[in-house]
Amino acid sequence: MAQMGLVVMGAGGRMGQTLIRTIHAMDGARVVGAVERAGSPHLGRDAGELAGIGPIDVKIADDPLPVFAKADGVLDFTAPQATVEFAGYAAQARIVHVIGTTGLSGKDEAAIAAAARHATIVKSGNMSLGVNLLSVLVRQAAKALDAADFDIEIVEMHHRHKVDAPSGTALLLGQAAAEGRGVDLAEQSVRVRDGHTGPREAGTIGFATLRGGSVVGEHSVILAGTGERIVLSHQAEDRAIFARGAVKAALWAHGRKPGLYSMLDVLGLA
């Protein structure tokens, strides 16, 4: 069986290099392209050498169009504006686009959904298999435990360089909790508490964001009742877990009809 040819976007970054190493180590896929922003000091370098696995005869380029044309799929953990652009290119090329980018706006989400009419897109706030299983458990717990008796708080911590808050994973878990409760997350979420806030409003879903050091990612969903507390949590110890999930998503999506899918589809948990 032919290997799936994958392009890594942001190939010079920490996640891009992790993706290259992961693809190289997994069966069924190979790196056929690597893209960086214009002006990157990594342009022209062999992507494998940069990632520490030795030469793979794939030079890092700044033009995605030629590499998209020869690829079966794209792995993208970049930035919202770039991701929307890449989704359009993936639609033109009729290939798989795996999106791990976070911080997307409503307008960005709409553009990606439009691109999914022609591209097979798998998008998730977290590509970890464990986090996506956790989201299912959170939905079940939120559904089982009445809002009048249990308050939901989501606490997340990431490294000092992360630029969006709450994290995409925290929002994914918040959405799972909201679905379990049958409410709209946008209407029920509380992102900031400061000063004299008054008592907690029943039924809301709170978020707390911590940033510091080199933390890859820690998330806890707390269901706090009177006299008892349930904590569902996940700790990411290596960003390779996100890379492995992304490659698994690409392999799952290869050959499927265009559409917008999630990691729950990949895991058979949708």
Side-chain angles (χ1 to χ4, degrees):
M1 182 177 178
Q3 291 185 314
M4 185 179 185
L6 296 174
V7 176
V8 175
M9 312 308 293
R14 290 176 299 175
M15 191 64 206
Q17 293 180 45
T18 302
L19 285 165
I20 290 166
R21 290 191 293 270
T22 301
I23 295 167
H24 187 72
M26 289 179 66
D27 294 331
R30 64 189 180 96
V31 179
V32 297
V35 178
E36 258 295 347
R37 67 187 187 284
S40 167
H42 304 302
L43 294 177
R45 291 192 61 182
D46 185 283
E49 284 189 330
L50 180 62
I53 58 174
I56 58 174
D57 197 28
V58 174
K59 302 296 183 185
I60 299 176
D62 61 2
D63 184 358
L65 291 177
V67 290
F68 276 45
K70 64 182 181 182
D72 299 309
V74 179
L75 304 183
D76 177 9
F77 289 73
T78 57
Q81 184 177 355
T83 290
V84 170
E85 181 181 354
F86 300 149
Y89 295 154
Q92 292 176 34
R94 303 295 202 273
I95 60 176
V96 172
H97 187 188
V98 176
I99 299 174
T101 303
T102 58
L104 297 162
S105 68
K107 184 178 179 181
D108 297 332
E109 299 277 8
I112 291 169
R117 291 197 292 266
H118 302 291
T120 306
I121 297 178
V122 180
K123 184 177 73 66
S124 178
N126 191 305
M127 290 289 167
S128 156
L129 306 182
V131 161
N132 282 278
L133 176 59
L134 176 62
S135 73
V136 175
L137 300 177
V138 169
R139 185 187 300 111
Q140 292 176 335
K143 183 177 180 179
L145 302 173
D146 191 86
D149 299 320
F150 282 85
D151 301 316
I152 298 178
E153 294 286 317
I154 299 171
V155 181
E156 57 105 341
M157 183 170 185
H158 284 83
H159 53 86
R160 62 169 64 96
H161 302 292
K162 188 166 179 61
V163 298
D164 58 308
S167 70
T169 304
L171 294 173
L172 181 153
L173 296 172
Q175 183 60 40
E179 290 172 1
R181 288 274 167 91
V183 299
D184 186 323
L185 180 62
E187 295 179 357
Q188 294 297 111
S189 67
V190 175
R191 307 290 183 86
V192 178
R193 294 190 179 102
D194 186 33
H196 186 73
T197 61
R200 189 186 198 282
E201 184 179 346
T204 55
I205 298 172
F207 290 84
T209 297
L210 309 177
R211 293 287 179 267
S214 59
V215 177
V216 175
E218 296 181 2
H219 296 84
S220 293
V221 179
I222 303 166
L223 296 103
T226 301
E228 60 182 333
R229 185 172 64 219
I230 300 164
V231 181
L232 302 171
S233 63
H234 179 273
Q235 294 186 354
E237 299 173 352
D238 186 339
R239 58 178 38 87
I241 64 174
F242 311 127
R244 286 194 294 271
V247 177
K248 286 180 179 291
L251 293 171
W252 175 88
H254 192 204
R256 293 184 185 273
K257 66 180 182 180
L260 184 57
Y261 301 93
S262 73
M263 284 299 289
L264 296 184
D265 294 302
V266 176
L267 296 173
L269 297 172

Short mmCIF file of all heavy atoms in Angstrom, two decimals, residues 97-156:
data_model
loop_
_atom_site.label_atom_id
_atom_site.label_comp_id
_atom_site.label_asym_id
_atom_site.label_seq_id
_atom_site.Cartn_x
_atom_site.Cartn_y
_atom_site.Cartn_z
N HIS A 97 -6.82 18.03 5.10
CA HIS A 97 -6.24 19.12 5.88
C HIS A 97 -6.53 18.84 7.35
O HIS A 97 -7.68 18.87 7.77
CB HIS A 97 -6.85 20.45 5.45
CG HIS A 97 -6.22 21.66 6.07
ND1 HIS A 97 -6.74 22.92 5.93
CD2 HIS A 97 -5.11 21.80 6.84
CE1 HIS A 97 -5.97 23.79 6.57
NE2 HIS A 97 -4.98 23.14 7.14
N VAL A 98 -5.50 18.54 8.12
CA VAL A 98 -5.64 18.31 9.55
C VAL A 98 -5.26 19.60 10.27
O VAL A 98 -4.13 20.08 10.13
CB VAL A 98 -4.75 17.14 10.02
CG1 VAL A 98 -4.84 16.98 11.54
CG2 VAL A 98 -5.16 15.85 9.33
N ILE A 99 -6.20 20.15 11.04
CA ILE A 99 -6.02 21.45 11.67
C ILE A 99 -5.95 21.31 13.19
O ILE A 99 -6.93 20.91 13.83
CB ILE A 99 -7.17 22.41 11.29
CG1 ILE A 99 -7.20 22.63 9.78
CG2 ILE A 99 -7.03 23.74 12.03
CD1 ILE A 99 -8.39 23.46 9.30
N GLY A 100 -4.80 21.66 13.75
CA GLY A 100 -4.65 21.72 15.19
C GLY A 100 -4.49 23.14 15.69
O GLY A 100 -4.22 23.36 16.87
N THR A 101 -4.66 24.11 14.80
CA THR A 101 -4.54 25.53 15.14
C THR A 101 -5.66 25.92 16.10
O THR A 101 -6.81 25.53 15.92
CB THR A 101 -4.63 26.38 13.87
OG1 THR A 101 -3.60 25.96 12.96
CG2 THR A 101 -4.49 27.86 14.17
N THR A 102 -5.33 26.75 17.10
CA THR A 102 -6.33 27.24 18.04
C THR A 102 -6.43 28.76 17.92
O THR A 102 -5.66 29.40 17.23
CB THR A 102 -5.98 26.84 19.48
OG1 THR A 102 -4.68 27.36 19.82
CG2 THR A 102 -5.95 25.32 19.63
N GLY A 103 -7.41 29.33 18.62
CA GLY A 103 -7.62 30.77 18.57
C GLY A 103 -8.39 31.23 17.36
O GLY A 103 -8.38 32.42 17.03
N LEU A 104 -9.10 30.31 16.69
CA LEU A 104 -9.87 30.66 15.49
C LEU A 104 -11.11 31.46 15.86
O LEU A 104 -11.81 31.14 16.83
CB LEU A 104 -10.28 29.38 14.75
CG LEU A 104 -9.11 28.53 14.20
CD1 LEU A 104 -9.58 27.12 13.89
CD2 LEU A 104 -8.52 29.17 12.95
N SER A 105 -11.41 32.47 15.07
CA SER A 105 -12.62 33.28 15.28
C SER A 105 -13.81 32.63 14.59
O SER A 105 -13.66 31.66 13.83
CB SER A 105 -12.41 34.68 14.71
OG SER A 105 -12.31 34.62 13.28
N GLY A 106 -14.99 33.18 14.84
CA GLY A 106 -16.18 32.68 14.15
C GLY A 106 -16.06 32.80 12.65
O GLY A 106 -16.49 31.91 11.89
N LYS A 107 -15.47 33.90 12.19
CA LYS A 107 -15.26 34.10 10.75
C LYS A 107 -14.29 33.06 10.19
O LYS A 107 -14.50 32.52 9.10
CB LYS A 107 -14.72 35.51 10.51
CG LYS A 107 -14.54 35.87 9.05
CD LYS A 107 -14.05 37.30 8.89
CE LYS A 107 -13.86 37.67 7.41
NZ LYS A 107 -13.35 39.07 7.27
N ASP A 108 -13.24 32.76 10.95
CA ASP A 108 -12.28 31.72 10.54
C ASP A 108 -12.97 30.37 10.44
O ASP A 108 -12.75 29.62 9.47
CB ASP A 108 -11.13 31.63 11.54
CG ASP A 108 -10.30 32.89 11.65
OD1 ASP A 108 -10.23 33.64 10.65
OD2 ASP A 108 -9.74 33.14 12.73
N GLU A 109 -13.78 30.05 11.44
CA GLU A 109 -14.49 28.76 11.45
C GLU A 109 -15.41 28.64 10.24
O GLU A 109 -15.49 27.57 9.61
CB GLU A 109 -15.31 28.63 12.74
CG GLU A 109 -14.50 28.66 14.03
CD GLU A 109 -13.90 27.31 14.38
OE1 GLU A 109 -13.99 26.38 13.56
OE2 GLU A 109 -13.34 27.20 15.49
N ALA A 110 -16.06 29.73 9.87
CA ALA A 110 -16.96 29.71 8.71
C ALA A 110 -16.18 29.48 7.43
O ALA A 110 -16.62 28.74 6.53
CB ALA A 110 -17.74 31.02 8.64
N ALA A 111 -15.00 30.10 7.31
CA ALA A 111 -14.18 29.93 6.11
C ALA A 111 -13.68 28.49 6.00
O ALA A 111 -13.65 27.91 4.90
CB ALA A 111 -13.00 30.90 6.15
N ILE A 112 -13.32 27.89 7.13
CA ILE A 112 -12.87 26.50 7.13
C ILE A 112 -14.02 25.57 6.76
O ILE A 112 -13.84 24.61 5.99
CB ILE A 112 -12.27 26.14 8.49
CG1 ILE A 112 -10.94 26.90 8.69
CG2 ILE A 112 -12.07 24.63 8.63
CD1 ILE A 112 -10.40 26.84 10.09
N ALA A 113 -15.20 25.84 7.29
CA ALA A 113 -16.37 25.02 6.95
C ALA A 113 -16.67 25.10 5.45
O ALA A 113 -17.05 24.10 4.82
CB ALA A 113 -17.57 25.47 7.76
N ALA A 114 -16.49 26.28 4.87
CA ALA A 114 -16.70 26.43 3.43
C ALA A 114 -15.68 25.64 2.64
O ALA A 114 -16.01 24.99 1.64
CB ALA A 114 -16.63 27.92 3.05
N ALA A 115 -14.42 25.65 3.09
CA ALA A 115 -13.37 24.89 2.40
C ALA A 115 -13.64 23.39 2.48
O ALA A 115 -13.25 22.63 1.58
CB ALA A 115 -12.01 25.22 3.02
N ALA A 116 -14.33 22.95 3.54
CA ALA A 116 -14.61 21.53 3.74
C ALA A 116 -15.62 20.99 2.73
O ALA A 116 -15.85 19.78 2.69
CB ALA A 116 -15.11 21.27 5.16
N ARG A 117 -16.17 21.85 1.91
CA ARG A 117 -17.02 21.34 0.82
C ARG A 117 -16.19 20.61 -0.23
O ARG A 117 -16.71 19.77 -0.97
CB ARG A 117 -17.79 22.49 0.17
CG ARG A 117 -18.87 23.10 1.06
CD ARG A 117 -19.86 23.92 0.27
NE ARG A 117 -19.26 25.12 -0.29
CZ ARG A 117 -19.30 26.32 0.30
NH1 ARG A 117 -19.91 26.47 1.46
NH2 ARG A 117 -18.73 27.37 -0.27
N HIS A 118 -14.90 20.93 -0.28
CA HIS A 118 -14.02 20.31 -1.28
C HIS A 118 -12.81 19.62 -0.67
O HIS A 118 -12.20 18.77 -1.32
CB HIS A 118 -13.54 21.37 -2.28
CG HIS A 118 -14.65 22.07 -2.99
ND1 HIS A 118 -15.46 21.43 -3.93
CD2 HIS A 118 -15.11 23.34 -2.91
CE1 HIS A 118 -16.36 22.29 -4.38
NE2 HIS A 118 -16.19 23.45 -3.78
N ALA A 119 -12.45 19.97 0.55
CA ALA A 119 -11.33 19.32 1.24
C ALA A 119 -11.86 18.44 2.36
O ALA A 119 -12.94 18.69 2.90
CB ALA A 119 -10.38 20.38 1.82
N THR A 120 -11.10 17.40 2.68
CA THR A 120 -11.45 16.55 3.81
C THR A 120 -10.70 17.11 5.03
O THR A 120 -9.49 16.94 5.14
CB THR A 120 -11.05 15.09 3.56
OG1 THR A 120 -11.64 14.67 2.32
CG2 THR A 120 -11.53 14.19 4.68
N ILE A 121 -11.42 17.80 5.90
CA ILE A 121 -10.79 18.52 6.99
C ILE A 121 -11.10 17.85 8.33
O ILE A 121 -12.26 17.59 8.65
CB ILE A 121 -11.27 19.99 7.03
CG1 ILE A 121 -10.83 20.71 5.74
CG2 ILE A 121 -10.72 20.71 8.25
CD1 ILE A 121 -11.28 22.15 5.65
N VAL A 122 -10.06 17.58 9.09
CA VAL A 122 -10.20 17.12 10.48
C VAL A 122 -9.68 18.24 11.35
O VAL A 122 -8.51 18.60 11.29
CB VAL A 122 -9.42 15.82 10.76
CG1 VAL A 122 -9.62 15.39 12.21
CG2 VAL A 122 -9.86 14.71 9.81
N LYS A 123 -10.54 18.81 12.20
CA LYS A 123 -10.16 19.95 13.03
C LYS A 123 -10.50 19.66 14.48
O LYS A 123 -11.57 19.16 14.79
CB LYS A 123 -10.91 21.21 12.57
CG LYS A 123 -10.49 22.48 13.32
CD LYS A 123 -11.22 23.69 12.78
CE LYS A 123 -12.67 23.71 13.18
NZ LYS A 123 -12.85 23.89 14.64
N SER A 124 -9.55 19.97 15.35
CA SER A 124 -9.78 19.75 16.77
C SER A 124 -8.95 20.74 17.58
O SER A 124 -7.83 21.08 17.19
CB SER A 124 -9.42 18.32 17.18
OG SER A 124 -9.59 18.13 18.57
N GLY A 125 -9.50 21.18 18.71
CA GLY A 125 -8.73 22.02 19.63
C GLY A 125 -7.61 21.26 20.29
O GLY A 125 -6.71 21.86 20.88
N ASN A 126 -7.62 19.93 20.17
CA ASN A 126 -6.55 19.10 20.72
C ASN A 126 -6.54 17.78 19.97
O ASN A 126 -7.57 17.12 19.86
CB ASN A 126 -6.75 18.87 22.22
CG ASN A 126 -5.55 18.24 22.88
OD1 ASN A 126 -5.06 17.20 22.48
ND2 ASN A 126 -5.04 18.90 23.91
N MET A 127 -5.40 17.40 19.43
CA MET A 127 -5.28 16.17 18.65
C MET A 127 -4.94 14.95 19.50
O MET A 127 -4.85 13.85 18.99
CB MET A 127 -4.20 16.35 17.57
CG MET A 127 -4.59 17.30 16.47
SD MET A 127 -5.87 16.57 15.41
CE MET A 127 -6.38 18.03 14.50
N SER A 128 -4.75 15.15 20.79
CA SER A 128 -4.44 14.04 21.68
C SER A 128 -5.61 13.07 21.75
O SER A 128 -6.76 13.47 21.93
CB SER A 128 -4.12 14.56 23.08
OG SER A 128 -4.33 13.59 24.06
N LEU A 129 -5.31 11.80 21.65
CA LEU A 129 -6.35 10.78 21.75
C LEU A 129 -6.94 10.78 23.16
O LEU A 129 -8.16 10.63 23.34
CB LEU A 129 -5.78 9.40 21.41
CG LEU A 129 -5.06 9.29 20.05
CD1 LEU A 129 -4.59 7.86 19.82
CD2 LEU A 129 -5.96 9.75 18.92
N GLY A 130 -6.09 10.99 24.17
CA GLY A 130 -6.57 10.99 25.55
C GLY A 130 -7.50 12.15 25.85
O GLY A 130 -8.52 11.98 26.53
N VAL A 131 -7.18 13.35 25.34
CA VAL A 131 -8.03 14.51 25.58
C VAL A 131 -9.39 14.32 24.94
O VAL A 131 -10.42 14.69 25.52
CB VAL A 131 -7.36 15.80 25.07
CG1 VAL A 131 -8.38 16.91 24.89
CG2 VAL A 131 -6.27 16.25 26.04
N ASN A 132 -9.42 13.75 23.76
CA ASN A 132 -10.70 13.57 23.10
C ASN A 132 -11.56 12.52 23.79
O ASN A 132 -12.79 12.65 23.83
CB ASN A 132 -10.48 13.24 21.61
CG ASN A 132 -10.14 14.48 20.82
OD1 ASN A 132 -11.01 15.24 20.42
ND2 ASN A 132 -8.85 14.71 20.61
N LEU A 133 -10.93 11.50 24.36
CA LEU A 133 -11.69 10.57 25.19
C LEU A 133 -12.19 11.29 26.44
O LEU A 133 -13.34 11.10 26.87
CB LEU A 133 -10.81 9.39 25.58
CG LEU A 133 -11.45 8.37 26.53
CD1 LEU A 133 -12.72 7.78 25.93
CD2 LEU A 133 -10.46 7.26 26.87
N LEU A 134 -11.35 12.16 27.02
CA LEU A 134 -11.75 12.93 28.19
C LEU A 134 -12.98 13.77 27.89
O LEU A 134 -13.88 13.89 28.72
CB LEU A 134 -10.60 13.83 28.64
CG LEU A 134 -10.89 14.78 29.80
CD1 LEU A 134 -11.24 14.02 31.06
CD2 LEU A 134 -9.68 15.69 30.05
N SER A 135 -13.05 14.35 26.70
CA SER A 135 -14.21 15.19 26.36
C SER A 135 -15.51 14.40 26.38
O SER A 135 -16.56 14.92 26.77
CB SER A 135 -14.00 15.84 24.98
OG SER A 135 -14.15 14.90 23.93
N VAL A 136 -15.43 13.14 25.99
CA VAL A 136 -16.63 12.29 26.03
C VAL A 136 -17.05 12.06 27.49
O VAL A 136 -18.24 12.11 27.83
CB VAL A 136 -16.36 10.95 25.32
CG1 VAL A 136 -17.55 10.01 25.47
CG2 VAL A 136 -16.07 11.18 23.84
N LEU A 137 -16.08 11.81 28.35
CA LEU A 137 -16.37 11.60 29.77
C LEU A 137 -16.95 12.86 30.41
O LEU A 137 -17.87 12.79 31.23
CB LEU A 137 -15.11 11.16 30.50
CG LEU A 137 -14.44 9.87 30.01
CD1 LEU A 137 -13.16 9.61 30.80
CD2 LEU A 137 -15.39 8.69 30.12
N VAL A 138 -16.41 14.02 30.01
CA VAL A 138 -16.93 15.29 30.54
C VAL A 138 -18.38 15.49 30.12
O VAL A 138 -19.21 15.90 30.93
CB VAL A 138 -16.05 16.46 30.05
CG1 VAL A 138 -16.71 17.81 30.35
CG2 VAL A 138 -14.67 16.41 30.70
N ARG A 139 -18.68 15.20 28.87
CA ARG A 139 -20.06 15.34 28.40
C ARG A 139 -21.00 14.44 29.19
O ARG A 139 -22.09 14.87 29.61
CB ARG A 139 -20.16 15.02 26.91
CG ARG A 139 -21.55 15.25 26.32
CD ARG A 139 -21.68 14.77 24.89
NE ARG A 139 -20.75 15.46 24.01
CZ ARG A 139 -19.70 14.90 23.44
NH1 ARG A 139 -19.44 13.61 23.64
NH2 ARG A 139 -18.91 15.59 22.65
N GLN A 140 -20.58 13.21 29.42
CA GLN A 140 -21.42 12.27 30.17
C GLN A 140 -21.60 12.74 31.61
O GLN A 140 -22.71 12.67 32.16
CB GLN A 140 -20.79 10.88 30.13
CG GLN A 140 -20.81 10.23 28.75
CD GLN A 140 -20.09 8.91 28.72
OE1 GLN A 140 -19.21 8.65 29.55
NE2 GLN A 140 -20.45 8.06 27.77
N ALA A 141 -20.53 13.20 32.23
CA ALA A 141 -20.61 13.65 33.62
C ALA A 141 -21.50 14.88 33.75
O ALA A 141 -22.31 14.98 34.67
CB ALA A 141 -19.21 13.94 34.16
N ALA A 142 -21.36 15.82 32.83
CA ALA A 142 -22.17 17.03 32.88
C ALA A 142 -23.65 16.72 32.68
O ALA A 142 -24.52 17.36 33.29
CB ALA A 142 -21.70 18.01 31.80
N LYS A 143 -23.92 15.73 31.87
CA LYS A 143 -25.31 15.33 31.64
C LYS A 143 -25.89 14.62 32.87
O LYS A 143 -27.06 14.82 33.23
CB LYS A 143 -25.38 14.40 30.42
CG LYS A 143 -26.79 13.97 30.05
CD LYS A 143 -26.78 13.10 28.80
CE LYS A 143 -28.19 12.67 28.42
NZ LYS A 143 -28.19 11.83 27.18
N ALA A 144 -25.07 13.83 33.53
CA ALA A 144 -25.55 13.03 34.66
C ALA A 144 -25.74 13.85 35.93
O ALA A 144 -26.61 13.55 36.75
CB ALA A 144 -24.59 11.87 34.91
N LEU A 145 -24.90 14.89 36.08
CA LEU A 145 -24.91 15.66 37.33
C LEU A 145 -25.61 17.00 37.10
O LEU A 145 -25.11 17.85 36.36
CB LEU A 145 -23.48 15.87 37.83
CG LEU A 145 -22.70 14.57 38.09
CD1 LEU A 145 -21.25 14.87 38.43
CD2 LEU A 145 -23.36 13.75 39.18
N ASP A 146 -26.73 17.19 37.74
CA ASP A 146 -27.58 18.36 37.51
C ASP A 146 -26.87 19.67 37.85
O ASP A 146 -26.13 19.76 38.83
CB ASP A 146 -28.85 18.22 38.34
CG ASP A 146 -29.89 19.24 37.95
OD1 ASP A 146 -30.64 18.96 37.00
OD2 ASP A 146 -29.92 20.32 38.56
N ALA A 147 -27.14 20.71 37.05
CA ALA A 147 -26.52 22.02 37.25
C ALA A 147 -26.89 22.64 38.59
O ALA A 147 -26.15 23.46 39.13
CB ALA A 147 -26.91 22.95 36.11
N ALA A 148 -28.02 22.27 39.11
CA ALA A 148 -28.43 22.81 40.41
C ALA A 148 -27.57 22.26 41.55
O ALA A 148 -27.48 22.87 42.62
CB ALA A 148 -29.90 22.48 40.66
N ASP A 149 -26.95 21.12 41.32
CA ASP A 149 -26.17 20.46 42.37
C ASP A 149 -24.67 20.53 42.15
O ASP A 149 -23.89 20.47 43.12
CB ASP A 149 -26.58 18.99 42.47
CG ASP A 149 -28.04 18.82 42.84
OD1 ASP A 149 -28.52 19.59 43.69
OD2 ASP A 149 -28.69 17.92 42.27
N PHE A 150 -24.23 20.63 40.89
CA PHE A 150 -22.80 20.60 40.59
C PHE A 150 -22.41 21.77 39.67
O PHE A 150 -22.98 21.95 38.60
CB PHE A 150 -22.41 19.28 39.91
CG PHE A 150 -22.30 18.12 40.85
CD1 PHE A 150 -23.43 17.39 41.20
CD2 PHE A 150 -21.08 17.76 41.41
CE1 PHE A 150 -23.35 16.33 42.08
CE2 PHE A 150 -20.99 16.70 42.28
CZ PHE A 150 -22.12 15.98 42.62
N ASP A 151 -21.42 22.55 40.12
CA ASP A 151 -20.85 23.63 39.32
C ASP A 151 -19.67 23.08 38.50
O ASP A 151 -18.95 22.19 38.97
CB ASP A 151 -20.34 24.75 40.22
CG ASP A 151 -21.43 25.33 41.10
OD1 ASP A 151 -22.54 25.55 40.57
OD2 ASP A 151 -21.19 25.55 42.30
N ILE A 152 -19.48 23.63 37.31
CA ILE A 152 -18.39 23.18 36.44
C ILE A 152 -17.36 24.29 36.27
O ILE A 152 -17.69 25.41 35.87
CB ILE A 152 -18.92 22.74 35.06
CG1 ILE A 152 -19.89 21.56 35.20
CG2 ILE A 152 -17.75 22.36 34.14
CD1 ILE A 152 -20.50 21.11 33.90
N GLU A 153 -16.11 23.96 36.58
CA GLU A 153 -14.99 24.87 36.39
C GLU A 153 -13.90 24.15 35.59
O GLU A 153 -13.63 22.97 35.84
CB GLU A 153 -14.42 25.32 37.73
CG GLU A 153 -15.35 26.17 38.56
CD GLU A 153 -15.48 27.58 38.01
OE1 GLU A 153 -14.46 28.18 37.61
OE2 GLU A 153 -16.63 28.10 37.98
N ILE A 154 -13.30 24.86 34.64
CA ILE A 154 -12.24 24.29 33.81
C ILE A 154 -10.96 25.08 34.06
O ILE A 154 -10.93 26.30 33.89
CB ILE A 154 -12.62 24.33 32.32
CG1 ILE A 154 -13.89 23.49 32.10
CG2 ILE A 154 -11.47 23.81 31.46
CD1 ILE A 154 -14.48 23.62 30.72
N VAL A 155 -9.91 24.38 34.47
CA VAL A 155 -8.62 25.01 34.76
C VAL A 155 -7.58 24.48 33.79
O VAL A 155 -7.47 23.26 33.60
CB VAL A 155 -8.16 24.72 36.21
CG1 VAL A 155 -6.84 25.41 36.51
CG2 VAL A 155 -9.24 25.14 37.21
N GLU A 156 -6.85 25.40 33.16
CA GLU A 156 -5.82 24.95 32.21
C GLU A 156 -4.53 25.72 32.43
O GLU A 156 -4.54 26.88 32.83
CB GLU A 156 -6.31 25.12 30.77
CG GLU A 156 -6.72 26.52 30.37
CD GLU A 156 -5.72 27.23 29.49
OE1 GLU A 156 -4.54 26.82 29.46
OE2 GLU A 156 -6.11 28.23 28.85
#
